[in-house]
């Protein structure tokens, strides 16, 4: 088998949430980007028009140059699932059935034509050709979980691996296991809708007052404040977990399969109160619930991991699907050493299926040879737009924004001093990340040793809930000096404990503090990134994948002796991560960030013209 040359493939995911486009050429991931970054609408589900424009135009291509376009799932199977589910619960769920059918009969049932029309629109915009003269590339359809599996296996460094996909639901599958070998992916088994670990977690997300498909990571961040008091109740009434990790839900407690809400009256009665309303006070009850569903999720993940290991005997595991973004659960799976190696797709949610589908078309449909690379083939997940110094200076000059241009070494030393002095820096650096995590390309950075930094960043810059911890980015070679983690974590998808020698003992009075007040107690010499259970969501930074971010941290280490920075995404609450210099400058001016770095340009807030905007801009972004 040989690799055929000059095969260009576009992968698309859209019409549910987190729409995205990916360009793969000869098996190499050239570009991958979410539509939300362009439209500024978080989790945008529309056809990824601007993302696809970027993939093509940035590489001097039009659709005429593309061999295949592949969509990430099979819509008719999803329609079949909807019909069967509603018929199985009728007459209940009538209103949501009518609402769903209106969308399907109007749009989604004709999705193939809709995609073709959207592609023709784009080709017409790119070339000016009349629509009748446009010949489109061959359109392929993958399956939802197969696209997830492909996104996890093909970019991984493994020649052979077991693959576990866990999410809300695809066409029918909610949890699936696969084996990847060479260029092939073969199914092992699946758990079907409505029995879904992802939707169980989302039900608790909804019940605790957070937005489904968006607020799950908040629930995960809330869990360490609570006690897992409700684990037995959940396992007794809501879910039957088998010894091999497979499970069945008691659907009489849920409404997501037949209504607009996730949980029903029976669920509310079980826990003794109605769902929390968004923005209402979080109580110890919600924290205990968060801790409980987190424990159940970890138990299922570990049991599934063990049974897949026994079934396949393989040393390597790849993870994808929205549940694979639960980095606490991932960390526990790694600690158990069930598998020698674990690789997790950084865009593990539905955005990543555009990438998986494109790679699937190249390897499995076109039958090309696969050669895994030593680390992985994700290029650090820096797969989005980048902007030159020339472009940035032109933009800043046009808006009369005061700035200075500095060479890298001088810039990095100055940034290290500013961070040491407690300044908060907006960092815009190289190609944008693909996936939900900021990895030093579109990041806000600060000093993790500063106790006040956590509340400053949460309340004055991110405008988000004060209970949420920040993540550390550490030089790869210094990992073992600060964290109990024995493998790289380049995509911030593993949680581990702070080294005990860096931890501080707390008084009994501090220990008795309620919930969120606990976060203000310094628990380590890195208080701004230490969660209340002494854990942290870690990014290891390599000189190979992001040398400029690496060198900024290195300069901070030389200035302070600390090889770690706070790293949080460059956005405010409800806003997608910034994409362009314009987005970055706007976010900088709207918040209390001190310094903005746009490639080699440094801007100080104190030098900037006073913004005329009032706080009504916050209404642009729907709170998540």
């Amino acid at each position: 088998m040989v690799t055929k040359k000059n095969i260009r493939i576009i992968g698309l995911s859209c019409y549910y949430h987190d729409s995205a486009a990916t360009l793969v050429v000869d098996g190499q991931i050239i570009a991958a980007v979410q539509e939300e970054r362009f439209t500024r609408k978080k989790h945008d589900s529309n056809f990824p028009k601007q993302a696809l424009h970027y993939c093509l135009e940035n590489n001097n291509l039009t659709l005429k140059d593309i061999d295949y376009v592949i969509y990430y799932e099979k819509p008719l199977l999803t329609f079949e699932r909807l019909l069967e589910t509603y018929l199985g619960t009728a007459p209940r769920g009538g209103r949501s059935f009518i609402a769903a059918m209106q969308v399907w009969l109007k749009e989604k049932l004709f999705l193939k034509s809709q995609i073709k029309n959207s592609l023709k629109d784009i080709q017409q915009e790119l070339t000016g050709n009349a629509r009748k003269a446009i010949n489109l590339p061959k359109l392929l359809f993958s399956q939802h979980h197969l696209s997830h599996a492909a996104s996890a296996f093909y970019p991984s460094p493994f020649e052979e691996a077991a693959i576990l996909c866990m999410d809300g639901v695809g066409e029918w599958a909610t949890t699936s296991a696969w084996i990847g070998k060479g260029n092939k992916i073969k199914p092992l088994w699946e758990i079907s809708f409505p029995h879904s670990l992802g939707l169980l977690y989302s039900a608790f997300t909804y019940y605790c007052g957070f937005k489904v498909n968006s607020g799950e990571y908040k629930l995960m961040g809330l869990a360490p404040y609570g006690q897992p008091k409700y684990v037995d109740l959940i396992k007794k009434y809501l879910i039957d977990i088998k010894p091999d990790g497979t499970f069945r839900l008691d659907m009489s407690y849920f409404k997501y399969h037949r209504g607009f809400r996730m949980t029903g009256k029976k669920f509310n009665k079980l826990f003794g109160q109605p769902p929390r309303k968004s923005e209402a006070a979080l109580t110890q009850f919600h924290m205990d619930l968060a801790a409980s569903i987190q424990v159940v999720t970890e138990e299922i993940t570990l049991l599934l991991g063990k049974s897949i290991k026994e079934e396949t005997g393989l040393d390597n595991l790849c993870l994808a699907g929205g549940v694979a973004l639960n980095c606490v659960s991932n960390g526990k799976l790694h600690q158990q050493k069930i598998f020698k190696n674990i690789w997790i797709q950084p865009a593990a949610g539905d955005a990543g299926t555009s990438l998986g589908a494109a790679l699937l078309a190249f390897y499995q449909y076109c039958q090309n040879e696969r050669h895994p690379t030593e680390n992985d083939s994700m290029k650090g997940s820096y797969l989005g737009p980048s902007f030159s110094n020339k472009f940035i200076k032109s933009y800043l000059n046009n808006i009369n924004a005061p700035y200075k241009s500095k060479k890298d070494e001088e810039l990095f030393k100055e940034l290290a001093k500013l961070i040491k002095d407690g300044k908060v820096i907006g960092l815009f650096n190289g190609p944008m990340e693909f996936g939900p995590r900021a990895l030093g390309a579109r990041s806000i950075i600060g000093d993790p040793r500063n106790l006040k930094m956590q509340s400053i960043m949460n309340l004055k810059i991110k405008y988000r809930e004060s209970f949420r911890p920040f993540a550390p980015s550490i030089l790869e070679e210094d990992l073992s000096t600060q964290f109990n983690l024995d493998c790289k974590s380049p995509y911030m998808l593993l949680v581990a404990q702070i080294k005990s020698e860096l931890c501080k003992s707390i008084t009994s009075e501090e220990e008795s503090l309620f919930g969120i007040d606990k976060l203000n107690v310094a628990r380590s010499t890195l208080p701004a990134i230490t969660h209340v259970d002494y854990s942290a969501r870690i990014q290891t930074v390599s000189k190979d994948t992001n040398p400029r971010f690496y060198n900024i941290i290195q300069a901070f280490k030389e200035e302070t002796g600390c090889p770690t920075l706070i790293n949080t995404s460059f956005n405010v609450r409800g806003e997608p991560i910034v994409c362009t210099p314009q987005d970055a400058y706007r976010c900088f001016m709207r918040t209390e960030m001190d310094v903005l770095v746009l490639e080699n340009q440094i801007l100080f807030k104190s030098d900037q013209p006073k913004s005329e905007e009032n706080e009504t801009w916050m209404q642009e972004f729907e709170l998540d």
Side-chain angles (χ1 to χ4, degrees):
M1 186 186 299
V2 295
T3 299
K4 298 163 193 166
K5 294 295 182 185
N6 300 319
I7 296 181
R8 301 185 182 100
I9 300 169
I10 290 288
L12 298 174
S13 64
C14 51
Y15 302 130
Y16 187 51
H17 57 82
D18 296 303
S19 68
T22 296
L23 171 65
V24 165
V25 178
D26 290 341
Q28 299 294 313
I29 305 164
I30 304 301
V33 63
Q34 293 127 285
E35 184 71 359
E36 64 162 27
R37 304 296 166 86
F38 300 101
T39 62
R40 314 306 300 151
K41 180 184 173 187
K42 201 163 188 180
H43 306 300
D44 196 339
S45 63
N46 291 302
F47 184 86
K49 181 179 176 181
Q50 296 189 59
L52 181 51
H53 259 287
Y54 164 74
C55 290
L56 294 169
E57 290 181 284
N58 198 52
N59 294 283
N60 299 314
L61 300 171
T62 75
L63 285 170
K64 191 179 177 184
D65 304 305
I66 301 299
D67 297 282
Y68 303 99
V69 174
I70 180 165
Y71 185 67
Y72 78 118
E73 68 174 14
K74 294 191 172 172
L76 288 180
L77 286 178
T78 306
F79 185 67
E80 174 192 276
R81 186 247 300 165
L82 282 172
L83 275 182
E84 284 196 22
T85 303
Y86 280 118
L87 289 174
T89 59
R92 292 176 297 175
R95 282 195 305 127
S96 67
F97 175 73
I98 292 169
M101 285 306 104
Q102 284 176 339
V103 175
W104 274 88
L105 294 175
K106 187 178 176 185
E107 298 173 0
K108 291 189 176 179
L109 208 51
F110 310 101
L111 197 136
K112 188 174 181 180
S113 299
Q114 196 174 336
I115 292 172
K116 285 187 171 181
N117 284 332
S118 296
L119 293 174
K120 283 192 174 184
D121 288 344
I122 286 174
Q123 183 69 352
Q124 194 171 31
E125 289 164 9
L126 289 171
T127 63
N129 291 343
R131 290 177 71 84
K132 285 184 179 177
I134 293 173
N135 292 315
L136 292 175
K138 186 170 184 179
L139 183 58
L140 307 174
F141 289 83
S142 176
Q143 289 191 29
H144 189 112
H145 267 233
L146 179 56
S147 297
H148 274 311
S151 78
F153 175 64
Y154 287 129
S156 79
F158 309 136
E159 170 62 25
E160 188 175 18
I163 309 165
L164 176 60
C165 303
M166 301 175 286
D167 69 355
V169 61
E171 293 91 352
W172 277 101
T174 66
T175 302
S176 61
W178 311 73
I179 287 182
K181 184 176 182 180
N183 68 345
K184 301 286 186 194
I185 294 176
K186 294 181 179 176
L188 287 176
W189 51 260
E190 70 176 45
I191 299 171
S192 296
F193 185 85
H195 307 288
S196 164
L197 180 57
L199 289 174
L200 174 67
Y201 203 89
S202 291
F204 280 88
T205 302
Y206 162 84
Y207 187 72
C208 289
F210 302 120
K211 196 171 180 181
V212 172
N213 288 330
S214 179
E216 281 76 6
Y217 63 102
K218 295 184 186 181
L219 196 68
M220 185 180 69
L222 192 65
Y225 295 99
Q227 296 296 320
K229 293 179 178 178
Y230 300 102
V231 169
D232 290 343
L233 199 65
I234 292 170
K235 289 163 66 172
K236 183 175 181 181
Y237 292 101
L238 299 185
I239 186 166
D240 176 20
I241 306 171
K242 305 298 182 189
D244 63 0
T246 57
F247 53 85
R248 286 185 67 82
L249 300 180
D250 183 340
M251 295 311 299
S252 65
Y253 289 89
F254 302 93
K255 291 195 80 172
Y256 60 76
H257 58 305
R258 59 180 173 85
F260 296 108
R261 289 174 290 170
M262 295 298 292
T263 59
K265 289 179 183 174
K266 198 172 174 184
F267 188 102
N268 305 346
K269 190 177 177 183
L270 182 66
F271 293 105
Q273 55 183 275
R276 170 181 168 261
K277 292 184 177 176
S278 175
E279 305 305 306
L282 282 164
T283 66
Q284 192 62 48
F285 168 70
H286 302 110
M287 298 170 193
D288 293 340
L289 269 187
S292 303
I293 192 61
Q294 182 62 35
V295 166
V296 171
T297 300
E298 291 165 12
E299 180 181 334
I300 292 171
T301 303
L302 291 178
L303 287 172
L304 287 173
K306 286 175 184 173
S307 63
I308 292 172
K309 172 68 180 178
E310 287 174 9
E311 189 174 355
T312 65
L314 295 171
D315 290 332
N316 305 317
L317 177 68
C318 297
L319 292 175
V323 180
L325 293 172
N326 191 315
C327 45
V328 181
S329 179
N330 296 342
K332 296 280 173 65
L333 188 60
H334 171 74
Q335 285 171 16
Q336 290 290 314
K337 301 295 180 191
I338 300 166
F339 292 87
K340 283 184 181 175
N341 307 294
I342 297 176
W343 191 85
I344 308 162
Q345 164 57 239
D350 278 3
T353 57
S354 66
L355 184 148
L359 291 173
L360 185 79
F362 182 77
Y363 289 114
Q364 204 143 297
Y365 183 81
C366 299
Q367 298 187 15
N368 284 301
E369 218 172 354
R370 173 173 173 265
H371 303 283
T373 55
E374 185 180 352
N375 292 312
D376 63 47
S377 59
M378 284 297 294
K379 300 178 179 174
S381 213
Y382 305 111
L383 296 164
S386 61
F387 297 83
S388 67
N389 281 319
K390 183 181 177 182
F391 179 95
I392 290 167
K393 285 196 275 190
S394 173
Y395 163 65
L396 294 175
N397 290 335
N398 282 339
I399 62 170
N400 294 317
Y403 69 92
K404 290 179 181 174
S405 296
K406 299 201 171 188
K407 291 186 177 177
D408 275 0
E409 189 175 351
E410 182 188 6
L411 176 65
F412 299 157
K413 284 183 178 177
E414 182 167 357
L415 289 178
K417 286 188 172 70
L418 289 167
I419 295 168
K420 178 188 171 188
D421 291 340
K423 304 299 183 190
V424 179
I425 315 283
L427 179 64
F428 186 97
N429 166 42
M432 184 176 67
E433 302 91 341
F434 182 51
R437 303 280 181 254
L439 302 171
R442 304 290 186 273
S443 292
I444 298 172
I445 55 177
D447 187 347
R449 305 166 308 155
N450 188 329
L451 180 59
K452 294 179 181 175
M453 196 54 65
Q454 193 273 345
S455 58
I456 290 172
M457 280 194 171
N458 264 335
L459 300 177
K460 293 186 176 180
I461 293 164
K462 301 280 286 186
Y463 302 118
R464 68 181 199 180
E465 302 91 336
S466 58
F467 70 84
R468 293 168 59 187
F470 286 106
S473 293
I474 183 169
L475 299 177
E476 193 175 87
E477 61 271 23
D478 287 315
L479 176 65
S480 63
T481 66
Q482 298 200 323
F483 301 102
N484 290 321
L485 183 64
D486 59 3
C487 69
K488 298 174 188 174
S489 178
Y491 304 120
M492 210 182 270
L493 287 169
L494 294 173
V495 161
Q497 297 298 110
I498 309 282
K499 282 276 182 184
S500 58
E501 52 267 38
L502 302 183
C503 294
K504 293 182 176 180
S505 55
I506 58 175
T507 66
S508 55
E509 187 180 349
E510 290 169 331
E511 184 62 46
S512 66
L513 287 171
F514 171 72
I516 288 160
D517 288 336
K518 290 180 179 178
L519 197 60
N520 295 323
V521 177
R523 290 164 187 269
S524 79
T525 56
L526 304 170
I529 55 89
T530 305
H531 210 342
V532 294
D533 59 353
Y534 295 93
S535 70
R537 178 162 50 91
I538 299 161
Q539 181 198 8
T540 53
V541 180
S542 157
K543 199 168 192 172
D544 297 328
T545 49
N546 193 338
R548 296 186 87 238
F549 189 40
Y550 177 95
N551 286 330
I552 292 170
I553 304 174
Q554 179 66 36
F556 183 70
K557 180 185 176 184
E558 289 169 6
E559 182 69 26
T560 65
C562 177
T564 303
L565 291 177
I566 299 174
N567 177 9
T568 185
S569 56
F570 196 155
N571 61 346
V572 297
R573 183 182 174 190
E575 179 190 22
I577 295 175
V578 301
C579 176
T580 65
Q582 292 90 331
D583 298 334
Y585 185 77
R586 193 183 309 118
C587 186
F588 169 61
M589 292 301 292
R590 285 171 168 177
T591 66
E592 296 186 38
M593 225 178 296
D594 301 297
V595 177
L596 173 63
V597 175
L598 296 171
E599 298 299 344
N600 286 86
Q601 286 54 244
I602 183 166
L603 296 85
F604 292 87
K605 178 65 68 59
S606 55
D607 295 340
Q608 303 306 307
K610 190 173 174 58
S611 173
E612 294 179 359
E613 282 191 295
N614 56 39
E615 293 186 356
T616 57
W617 64 266
M618 289 187 183
Q619 296 168 11
E620 284 179 27
F621 305 114
E622 187 181 349
L623 295 182
D624 56 3

